[in-house]
Amino acid sequence: MTEAQQPAGPRPEPLRFFGTTWVDRSGPYALRRAGVAAVSLLAAVAGALVLVVGYQGLAIAEVSGFVTVLVAVMFAVCTALAFRRTWEGFVREPQSVADASVERSLQSLRMIGFIGVLLAWFVRSLIDAPGEKPARAAYDREREAYERRRASRAGNPAARTASRAGAAGKKRKRR
């Protein structure tokens, strides 16, 4: 599509795996959502199986019960925190640059709690595209601002200039 054919106004930000199909939910949007849900659920199940093998390795190594419980609690807490942080990223817009630094610092937590991240992707893709809600809110705000600017410029500029000149002339006469 050339620039002359593209619609005027703000352009939506593409989302991972969805591009800009989330705007009008066109094309393969529903199929992509189903695919993201299925793949993220399968990956979460595979990850859980890997963790089961890891726990069996702890049993084979005959480590103390305390260590086994500590590892289980660590994975459970990291999974819960990773789910919550990922979910919040899907439903709210980032507030500041500080949020980006906090997200970078939590990367290791998300790696440990990867099952929570995958489950958040699964659950969110059942509702809409992950990240669609904040992207849609930002796009709608930009679109409304564009429409307001465009509406204020609409009309015959010559008529507007004449009416402004007439108003300015009236102000001068009053003095």
Side-chain angles (χ1 to χ4, degrees), residues 62-74:
E62 297 178 0
V63 296
S64 69
F66 176 74
V67 172
T68 303
V69 169
L70 190 63
V71 169
V73 168
M74 180 219 30

Side-chain angles (χ1 to χ4, degrees), residues 12-144:
E13 290 293 320
L15 296 178
R16 184 181 297 170
F17 306 122
F18 294 92
T20 57
T21 60
W22 61 268
V23 175
D24 57 359
R25 297 182 176 184
S26 63
Y29 173 81
L31 186 61
R32 287 182 182 185
R33 270 186 45 204
V36 167
V39 168
S40 60
L41 184 61
L42 288 174
V45 169
L49 292 176
V50 168
L51 289 180
V52 167
V53 169
Y55 290 130
Q56 290 174 351
L58 289 175
I60 292 170
E62 297 178 0
V63 296
S64 69
F66 176 74
V67 172
T68 303
V69 169
L70 190 63
V71 169
V73 168
M74 180 219 30
F75 273 108
V77 168
C78 288
T79 297
L81 290 174
F83 179 89
R84 182 175 154 257
R85 295 300 293 192
T86 304
W87 185 265
E88 287 176 356
F90 289 153
V91 296
R92 69 174 171 83
E93 294 182 55
Q95 301 297 321
S96 65
V97 175
D99 280 353
S101 64
V102 168
E103 291 302 317
R104 274 195 306 276
S105 69
L106 293 175
Q107 283 179 344
S108 58
L109 180 130
R110 285 188 176 180
M111 289 173 72
I112 295 169
F114 67 98
I115 293 176
V117 172
L118 293 169
L119 290 175
W121 273 84
F122 169 72
V123 173
R124 193 64 204 182
S125 63
L126 295 176
I127 300 167
D128 60 11
E132 179 179 341
K133 186 176 180 179
R136 186 169 299 282
Y139 178 68
D140 288 344
R141 273 195 316 273
E142 290 173 10
R143 194 81 187 150
E144 287 172 13

